[in-house]
């Protein structure tokens, strides 16, 4: 689907960026405080999902946090689904904090620009899209799985939920020898 058929929303001020979060940075999750608190707190834009133009799978790591995997064209071994998450606007300082949390330097994740379809507004109200209307597509950074860990045996999940988080998540400080 060509980009020109959708409304593309971006932030004109380059000092701010959209970030799509799908795991422990979402509301009610362990790391949300890193995103939402402090002088450089992120601003919630709404709930969204990866655009159909991007093919993703979500895998659950052995420590209970998710990996967003971008599937290759024609890959039938993974289900190519839209992954649901939340979109925030952040400044450069917060983006740098998130890069540290996501271990960009070690290769645990890499930060990439993806298309996200915005489904709700900042008040969690559904954004109506009438038939024939353009969808609300925005560009956002997302943390895509890097090559640090072998992911071949990890379970695929549809969405990283509060139930999965509460049952499986192990905070960094409690992970033996992971970092």
């Amino acid at each position: 689907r060509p980009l020109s058929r959708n409304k593309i929303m971006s932030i004109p001020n380059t000092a701010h960026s959209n970030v799509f979060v799908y795991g422990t940075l979402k509301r009610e999750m362990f790391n949300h405080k890193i995103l939402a608190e402090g002088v450089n707190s992120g601003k919630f834009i709404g709930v969204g999902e990866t655009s159909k133009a991007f093919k993703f799978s979500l895998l659950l790591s052995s420590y209970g946090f998710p990996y967003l995997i971008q599937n290759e064209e024609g890959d039938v071994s993974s289900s190519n689904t839209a992954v649901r998450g939340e979109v925030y606007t952040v400044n450069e300082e917060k983006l740098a904090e998130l890069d540290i949390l996501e271990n960009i330097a070690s290769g645990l994740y890499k930060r990439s620009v993806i298309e996200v379809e915005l489904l709700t507004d900042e008040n969690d109200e559904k954004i109506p899209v009438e038939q024939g209307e353009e969808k609300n597509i925005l560009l956002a950074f997302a943390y895509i799985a890097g090559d640090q860990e072998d992911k071949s045996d990890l379970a695929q999940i549809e969405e990283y939920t509060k139930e999965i988080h509460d049952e499986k998540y192990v905070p960094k400080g409690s992970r033996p020898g992971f970092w």
Side-chain angles (χ1 to χ4, degrees), residues 22-35:
Y22 53 86
T24 65
L25 286 164
K26 293 192 316 185
R27 294 174 291 180
E28 300 185 354
M29 306 291 181
F30 186 83
N31 288 320
H32 181 70
K33 62 186 173 289
I34 295 169
L35 180 60

Side-chain angles (χ1 to χ4, degrees), residues 10 23 32 56 70 78 85 129:
S10 61
H32 181 70
F56 290 104
Q70 188 160 5
S78 304
V129 178

Side-chain angles (χ1 to χ4, degrees), residues 79-128:
S79 72
N80 295 322
T81 59
V83 173
R84 188 166 288 226
E86 299 170 356
V87 181
Y88 291 82
T89 299
V90 298
N91 64 18
E92 292 174 4
E93 291 83 7
K94 185 58 70 178
L95 196 58
E97 283 180 53
L98 296 177
D99 285 353
I100 292 168
L101 173 72
E102 303 294 3
N103 286 292
I104 297 294
S106 74
L108 184 65
Y109 289 93
K110 57 188 176 191
R111 180 165 37 100
S112 300
V113 175
I114 66 167
E115 291 178 26
V116 176
E117 181 182 343
L118 205 55
L119 304 175
T120 73
D121 63 19
E122 68 276 4
N123 299 313
D124 283 323
E125 298 291 328
K126 187 175 188 300
I127 298 174

